[in-house]
């Protein structure tokens, strides 16, 4: 019981919020770096050539037999690319890969920006505020956006790349959607709770 009380202590909450704020900043910087690497052609995928299949190929290399994969990124989706008649990867594939990765990371970057603002306010002792309610709502909506709409956007990009180029690309996406949806809904509910608490406090203040 004493341990629970310590966790609920204001000083502990402020210290934890300061730590989580910097953790959010670190995650944002990490996703920005990963997006840059993807734009540089350092995103891994399954490559099918006329003679072989490579599990961790990247667009920025000519020899796909190398085993070193430092400074590469992956979305966690199974992406398959087939070479064209000349047994090469079409430039449209590189554009499609970077666009899919950007769609994958941008909602998360924005959501962690809003979440860091919440932790920053809690660190200052500003808890039941309309600003925190709005930031939590934006976080939850962005998580839902990333879970529900982004997979369909990735499938559309693969279809367009295959349509306009002489290479073919496919993707198996949507893994972990349920967990992300539940997380997004939980933060939306938390936003409503804070919003409701703010209005209750306003009613009490006006009554007094």
């Amino acid at each position: 019981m004493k341990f629970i009380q310590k966790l609920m202590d204001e000083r502990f909450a402020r210290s934890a919020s300061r730590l989580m704020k910097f953790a959010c900043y670190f995650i944002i910087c990490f996703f920005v770096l990963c997006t840059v690497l993807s734009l540089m052609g350092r995103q891994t995928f399954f490559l099918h050539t006329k003679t072989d299949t490579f599990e961790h190929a990247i667009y920025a290399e000519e020899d796909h037999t190398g085993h070193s994969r430092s400074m590469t990124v992956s979305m966690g989706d199974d992406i398959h690319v087939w070479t064209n008649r000349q047994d090469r990867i079409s430039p449209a594939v590189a554009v499609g890969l970077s666009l899919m990765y950007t769609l994958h990371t941008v909602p998360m970057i924005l959501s962690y920006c809003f979440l860091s603002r919440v932790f920053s306010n809690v660190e200052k002792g500003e808890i039941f505020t309309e600003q925190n309610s709005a930031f939590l709502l934006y976080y939850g909506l962005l998580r839902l956006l990333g879970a529900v709409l982004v997979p369909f956007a990735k499938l559309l990009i693969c279809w367009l790349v295959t349509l306009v180029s002489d290479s073919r690309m496919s993707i198996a996406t949507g893994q972990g959607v349920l967990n992300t949806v539940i997380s997004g809904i939980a933060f939306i509910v938390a936003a409503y709770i804070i919003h409701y608490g703010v209005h209750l406090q306003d009613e009490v203040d006006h009554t007094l």
Side-chain angles (χ1 to χ4, degrees):
M1 190 65 182
K2 291 182 178 180
F3 176 73
I4 299 298
Q5 290 176 344
K6 287 182 179 180
L7 291 178
M8 301 298 290
D9 182 72
E10 182 180 356
R11 288 186 300 174
F12 177 82
R14 290 193 177 190
S15 299
S17 296
R18 185 183 305 112
L19 178 64
M20 291 303 300
K21 178 182 68 175
F22 287 110
C24 288
Y25 292 157
F26 175 81
I27 293 171
I28 291 168
C29 292
F30 175 76
F31 281 132
V32 170
L33 174 62
C34 289
T35 304
V36 172
L37 289 173
S38 175
L39 293 171
M40 294 170 59
R42 305 291 301 177
Q43 182 178 346
T44 61
F45 53 89
F46 289 89
L47 176 63
H48 304 273
T49 67
K50 294 182 181 299
T51 58
D52 208 346
T53 298
F54 302 94
E55 186 175 353
H56 297 291
I58 59 175
Y59 184 80
E61 69 181 358
E62 292 290 337
D63 181 14
H64 302 290
T65 59
H67 297 289
S68 175
R69 284 296 176 270
S70 59
M71 299 299 288
T72 58
V73 295
S74 172
M75 294 187 297
D77 301 319
D78 289 335
I79 303 174
H80 293 259
V81 174
W82 286 262
T83 54
N84 57 21
R85 295 184 184 89
Q86 292 76 37
D87 207 24
R88 300 183 65 84
I89 305 172
S90 170
V93 170
V95 175
L97 289 169
S98 297
L99 186 56
M100 285 193 296
Y101 200 89
T102 302
L103 285 174
H104 176 76
T105 55
V106 166
M108 289 191 286
I109 291 172
L110 293 175
S111 65
Y112 279 104
C113 284
F114 289 122
L115 193 60
S116 68
R117 296 290 301 276
V118 175
F119 287 125
S120 179
N121 288 340
V122 174
E123 181 187 358
K124 299 173 187 174
E126 302 171 2
I127 301 171
F128 281 94
T129 66
E130 286 288 359
Q131 193 178 57
N132 284 345
S133 175
F135 289 153
L136 288 175
L137 176 63
Y138 298 152
Y139 178 88
L141 290 175
L142 284 166
R143 295 294 285 175
L144 284 177
L145 173 69
V148 177
L149 296 183
V150 170
F152 289 103
K154 291 178 181 177
L155 291 171
L156 178 61
I157 290 170
C158 283
W159 179 77
L160 289 173
V161 168
T162 302
L163 183 67
V164 303
S165 72
D166 52 358
S167 292
R168 186 161 60 93
M169 183 164 64
S170 70
I171 185 172
T173 187
Q175 298 88 339
V177 166
L178 183 60
N179 289 336
T180 308
V181 167
I182 292 174
S183 172
I185 293 174
F187 275 92
I188 292 174
V189 173
Y192 167 75
I193 292 172
I194 292 181
H195 175 76
Y196 186 70
V198 171
H199 278 271
L200 281 180
Q201 185 63 49
D202 287 341
E203 290 180 5
V204 170
D205 292 341
H206 283 94
T207 302
L208 295 176

